[in-house]
Every structure is written in C-alpha cells, then in structure tokens.
C-alpha cells in the first residue's frame, strides 16, 4: 500500500482513467515483495489455464479507490484484449476497509456482455482472482470512503 500511495502522491497515475490507477508496472518496482507477487501471478495464471504457456508480456498496476472515487457503476465495464495474443487477467486483493461487504467489494464479472448476468467474486485479502482478459469486469461496489487497494495484472501469452 505504501508503494502505491507513493506512486500516486508523485503523480504516477493515469489521468484519463479511474482515479488512482498507477501508470507504472508495479512488478518492476524494487523489493522482493514485488518479485514474489509477480511470480505468484504467473503461477496462478498457469494454474488457471491448467498448463504452462510461453509468456509474451506481463503488465501490472496498483489501484486504490473508495466510495467517492469509484467508477460510474452505470457505465464502467471493461475488458483486456490485445491483438495477436491471449490475455489472462488477475486482481490481487491487498486491503479492504473492515466495514465493507466482502461479497460485493471484490470484482464483478460479466462473462458474456455487461448487459447480461454478472457475478461478484468475493474479496479475499491476500488472494488472486484470475479470469480471461476478454471477460467484462469492473471493481465491486464500495460503501465507505476508506481506501480499497488492489494490484491488477495482465499476462499476454502466445
């Protein structure tokens, strides 16, 4: 959380997307914790795919949000698609305010279209959720102004 806060305080976040999403590949930051998190992402993706695959690239970012800064839930769905690659995406749950509902504060997935049925992935601090990058998704709902912290990543495979 300290590294994400530091990046944000120095202006290293995207200004054209949801507030406080870092524009730095956090897996490249110094410190063993970032290398360990990157390796846990890779192994989690391999486990999700039930096989090892050749990795084309890995991108990662930190993100903090609260009730005031969360996206417009009526319009904000997104997916991670890259031409000529398959993308596996993940969200690692760092910290959630204690008074939030863990059933709806994690990640919401819409497997077909944003207009279709969706499901909430329960928040579990210290765990990755892994899903196909083509899956429509958005952060879950927050009820408070305390900060929620996550790391998100995409693995492009050939």
């Amino acid at each position: 959380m300290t590294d994400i806060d530091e990046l944000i305080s120095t202006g290293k976040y995207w200004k054209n997307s949801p507030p406080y999403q870092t524009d730095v590949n956090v897996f490249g930051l110094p410190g063993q914790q970032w290398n360990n998190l990157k390796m846990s992402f890779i192994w989690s993706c391999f486990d999700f795919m039930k096989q090892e695959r050749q990795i084309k690239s890995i991108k990662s970012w930190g993100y903090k949000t609260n009730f005031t800064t969360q996206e417009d839930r009526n319009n904000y769905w997104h997916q991670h698609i890259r031409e000529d690659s398959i993308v596996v995406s993940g969200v690692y749950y760092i910290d959630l305010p204690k008074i939030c509902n863990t059933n709806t504060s994690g990640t919401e997935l819409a497997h077909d279209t944003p207009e279709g049925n969706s499901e909430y992935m329960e928040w579990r601090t210290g765990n990755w959720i892994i899903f196909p990058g083509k899956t429509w998704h958005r952060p879950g709902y927050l009820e408070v102004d305390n900060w929620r912290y996550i790391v998100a990543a995409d693995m492009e495979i050939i």
Side-chain angles (χ1 to χ4, degrees):
M1 292 185 314
T2 303
D3 288 341
I4 293 170
D5 283 336
E6 176 65 24
L7 290 170
I8 290 166
S9 72
T10 58
K12 294 180 180 166
Y13 62 93
W14 296 105
K15 311 304 188 281
N16 64 344
S17 66
Y20 309 127
Q21 179 176 309
T22 65
D23 61 2
V24 171
N25 185 358
V26 295
F27 288 162
L29 292 174
Q32 185 176 1
Q33 73 275 13
W34 291 110
N35 190 54
N36 290 344
L37 192 59
K38 178 181 180 178
M39 294 309 297
S40 73
F41 173 64
I42 291 169
W43 285 113
S44 296
C45 289
F46 288 169
D47 182 60
F48 174 79
M49 294 182 293
K50 306 287 188 248
Q51 62 180 311
E52 291 186 34
R53 296 287 299 269
Q54 183 176 351
I55 300 169
K56 181 176 179 181
S57 71
I58 295 177
K59 297 176 178 79
S60 62
W61 55 96
Y63 181 48
K64 80 176 195 177
T65 189
N66 62 17
F67 178 78
T68 304
T69 63
Q70 67 186 336
E71 300 80 15
D72 175 1
R73 296 202 43 86
N74 294 321
N75 298 308
Y76 187 75
W77 284 94
H78 63 281
Q79 48 187 180
H80 303 225
I81 297 175
R82 312 272 193 292
E83 286 190 34
D84 302 323
S85 295
I86 296 170
V87 178
V88 179
S89 297
V91 178
Y92 182 80
Y93 299 132
I94 298 173
D95 190 59
L96 180 70
K98 304 239 183 298
I99 55 178
C100 287
N101 181 342
T102 58
N103 292 319
T104 57
S105 296
T107 303
E108 187 177 5
L109 303 177
H111 297 286
D112 297 319
T113 68
E115 295 80 24
N117 292 333
S118 67
E119 68 176 314
Y120 285 95
M121 304 305 293
E122 181 180 1
W123 180 284
R124 292 186 182 168
T125 301
N127 286 272
W128 283 102
I129 65 156
I130 306 294
F131 51 92
K134 65 182 180 181
T135 301
W136 289 97
H137 61 281
R138 63 184 175 184
Y141 182 75
L142 283 173
E143 305 92 352
V144 299
D145 274 331
N146 298 10
W147 294 106
R148 165 181 57 193
Y149 288 84
I150 63 105
V151 167
D154 285 340
M155 174 191 289
E156 287 184 74
I157 56 176
I158 298 174

